[in-house]
Amino acid sequence: MADEIKKEAPQKFKVTIDNISIEVDPGTTILQAARMIGGDVTPPAMCYYTPLQGSGGKCRTCLVEVSKGSEKDPRPMPKLVASCRTTVMDGMEVKNITSDRVLNARAGVVEFLLLNHPLDCPICDQAGECHLQDLSYEHGKAGTRYEFKKRTFKPHNLGPYIQLHMTRCILCYRCVFTADQVTNKRQHGVLDRGDHAQIATYIEKSLDNDFIGNVIDVCPVGALTDKTFRFKNRVWFTKPVDAHRNCDKCCGKVTLWRRGDEVLRVTARKDQWGEIQSYDGKTGWICNECRFEKKNVSDWVIEGPTAVPRHSVIGVNHYQRLEQPKETIPAVIGRQPKLLMDIHEVSDVNQPGVDLSKIPGPATGAVFNQKHLGNGKKEQE
Amino acid sequence: MSPDDVVEEVKKSGLRGRGGAGFPTGMKWSFLAKPEGVPRHLIVNADESEPGTFKDRYLMEHIPHLLIEGIIVASYALGSNTSFIYIRGEYAWIVDILEQAIQEARNNGFLGKNILNSGFDCDIHVQRGAGAYICGEETALLESLEGKRGNPRIKPPFPAVKGAWDRPTVVNNVESISAVVPIINLGGEEYAKIGVGKSTGTKLISACGNINKPGVYEIDMTISVEEFIYSDEYCGGIPNGKRLKACIPGGSSVPILPANLLLKTAKGEQRMMNYESLSDGGFQTGSMMGSGGFIVFDEDQCIVKHTYTLARFYRHESCGQCSPCREGTGWMEKLLWRLENGQGKMSDIDLLWEIQSKIEGNTICPLGDAAAWPVAAAIRHFRDEFEWHVTHAEEAQVRNFGLAHYADPIQPIPA
Ligand SMILES: Cc1cc2nc3c(=O)[nH]c(=O)nc-3n(C[C@H](O)[C@H](O)[C@H](O)COP(=O)(O)O)c2cc1C
Ligand code: SF4
Ligand code: SF4
Ligand code: FES
């Protein structure tokens, strides 16, 4: 007992980022301290991912200037440091957006990341959820000074559920760490070096571990996509709701991305940094069954709308109530409005009878061909 | 002598690491963590992949026992019972030489259990790399040694605390470890008398390029650069009476120096073949001793072409972990290809400058800097030559150094 009383309260380190101070536990990284403060002082992070051990340090988007090392050794650090891998010292002073050096270096990193990344956002499934899109919006320049052909790769098929578009990959290694740390056997990694390096499975294997679907969630760009969702919808047309089910393999806590009553996609729940949430200290990775095979609302217990950050394009569809608003027209005119034109007569898209999630493969215009859908409504040639 | 005495002698000798960075070896050894019950390792870096550097291979090929003796003494000092030589894959025949020498040492009781009844056990393993420049970087070397992809680790933790298999580790160059033997034989103080200032002992220089007598020379760092290039004892001057244009004094990654700055320092003094003098003035006027790869260019050499060749090398060898190095080295190579082949624009020169400045200092390991510095120095000192390639596009094209077939298919410049 006496020992317990004598024990000193754990020492806290004071760190000041862009003139805002905060006290944090020793061992906290500058990035985590900045995230605790929140807002603009938080450096962007493309390769760091909290639940993945050893991640970070690679993309260099989170570089910051340490203008004072610590109380004991106030010398500034000569080089910019990766905030995701640098731990705070007591009295440390850090400049993020208040440093021209940082903003300059970051603009450089964004330019480098975009050199070989295709700007195919209009057809990329990650649009609206892409960290590189956000990063270039915030720190990039409108034009490019790169006049050479971009690096391209052949499409690489990773099995029934996951599609790799290596051309879009920014080699953040998150998927490699995930496969290494979350699944029971890693089947993919990085081949080659430099700008010819690529994510690959060595001999065109498919990725089929129980938890391999999580590589899709960690990929910051559209390099790894969910084959059961690809080309079915834009994310901002879907409505995310939190849901859970009893699952003996994973935590069973997910976000359902719905369109009407349909479940178009299932993902793990993410926090405001775009990272998988944790529950009771455990990371909320989800299993393949929950992600790819439970596409009926009846498979799930709906908890309510997912809290979406206001800046997110997904926030466009943000709503707090699940009940439908009352129709006002009948109340005013005393009868149902007359249907003058049924949009589905002219366009097949969004036919009420079409279950997008049940369409095998992408839901492109061609797939709306009734013949393929075979729901017997109308034969079309 | 106790292990600490050995460390003390190496400290007194003032020996600076011969692998490139020139960090004091004794100090590096004294940083080694010594937790109870955890094995420690000495690893000899024999990767030697820096273009222009070929000194370690001489040591290993001709006097392997010097290295092995050095490893035994250094292992004793550091408490490493299992030490490794990580050798460049292409040095296949040297592996056989080393293995044979190790076996001889073992047969004579200089290696193995209870060496010369001292109670100290030590064994040496030779590990071949697969031929990647990046695996010479000490933390990438450790990854590779552990059987993983040779990506540099993020520091801290430093190898002295968490190195090979997370155990405290010292990584030293072949030449550094070979120097341990004369240090112990002579005594640290006596060894420190060789050389000058903080450049103590002797240094191996691998000299190549436009000189009459390319080869590996041992110098005591008191001679001048001029003497090294022109005296018959060393390089023997430049063939066919040509004039000296420039020199990369320390292996491909260090800044190139034009003749005037090569022979004189910022203060107008004679430039000497030692650490301080070569780096005098930083990157404005100086360069670095680096790994001692001395590459001489005569007046006929095209700096743009050679810068392109180096850029090609660094682009190919970047491990690709960090975006500035991965993407920047490729971009620089393409721009240099275009300039070299008379397809460049004036603005490409400034763009190159910009790109190198965004890589330098912003990467995990020094390969990013190593890729940026040659480009920066070439533009700083030879900008007119880059401009010539733009203003004399047709001449540059016909000049054709046979480089065209090297390049990746690059799109013509949009009009
Ligand atoms: C890209 C890169 C390649 C390197 N290659 C070598 C090498 O081939 N041999 C070597 O001894 N040091 C090399 N180094 C330096 C090592 O990282 C390390 O500093 C050195 O082995 C330490 O030995 P020393 O203290 O005896 O010089 C390289 C460094 C970099 C950044
Ligand atoms: S595929 Fe995605 S997660 Fe994997 S390295 Fe590339 S960008 Fe990162
Ligand atoms: S600087 Fe280049 S070689 Fe070094 S870790 Fe980064 S990408 Fe790899
Ligand atoms: S997030 Fe820190 S370097 Fe990538």
Side-chain angles (χ1 to χ4, degrees), chain A residues 145 147, chain B residues 335 338-339 344-355 379 383 387 390 413:
Chain A
R145 299 183 286 182
E147 293 172 331
Chain B
L335 286 168
R338 165 159 123 173
L339 281 163
K345 304 186 270 192
M346 269 313 171
S347 58
D348 287 352
I349 306 169
D350 296 323
L351 185 54
L352 267 177
W353 182 264
E354 263 272 300
I355 299 170
I379 298 179
R383 194 182 169 103
E387 290 176 359
V390 180
I413 312 164

Side-chain angles (χ1 to χ4, degrees), chain A residues 17-19 65 94-103:
Chain A
I17 306 173
D18 285 343
N19 303 319
E65 182 182 334
V94 178
K95 286 182 175 176
N96 179 33
I97 49 172
T98 51
S99 161
D100 287 341
R101 255 172 90 200
V102 168
L103 294 180

Side-chain angles (χ1 to χ4, degrees), chain B residues 134 152 317-322 325-326 363-368:
Chain B
I134 191 58
E317 296 300 322
S318 158
C319 84
Q321 267 188 111
C322 19
C325 174
R326 180 182 64 239
T363 54
I364 297 176
C365 89
L367 189 139

Side-chain angles (χ1 to χ4, degrees), chain A residues 46 113 116-118 120-121 123-127 129-133 151 153-159 161-176 188-189 197-201 207 212-227 230-231 265 270, chain B residues 326:
Chain A
M46 297 295 294
L113 285 174
N116 279 307
H117 186 86
D120 60 351
C121 313
I123 58 145
C124 175
D125 252 333
Q126 190 86 355
E129 292 180 314
C130 175
H131 294 212
L132 186 56
Q133 211 174 29
R151 168 188 63 213
F153 294 89
K154 278 201 215 106
H156 193 147
N157 196 350
L158 300 184
Y161 292 132
I162 305 170
Q163 176 68 41
L164 170 64
H165 290 265
M166 184 52 222
T167 301
R168 293 185 191 136
C169 170
I170 57 157
L171 283 162
C172 68
Y173 285 59
R174 280 182 184 177
C175 60
V176 181
H188 85 291
Q198 59 173 309
I199 294 291
T201 54
L207 298 184
I212 196 70
N214 291 294
V215 298
I216 300 166
D217 284 348
V218 303
C219 186
V221 294
L224 289 165
T225 51
D226 177 345
K227 276 193 178 172
R230 261 158 43 90
F231 306 128
R265 177 173 72 151
K270 296 199 184 180
Chain B
R326 180 182 64 239

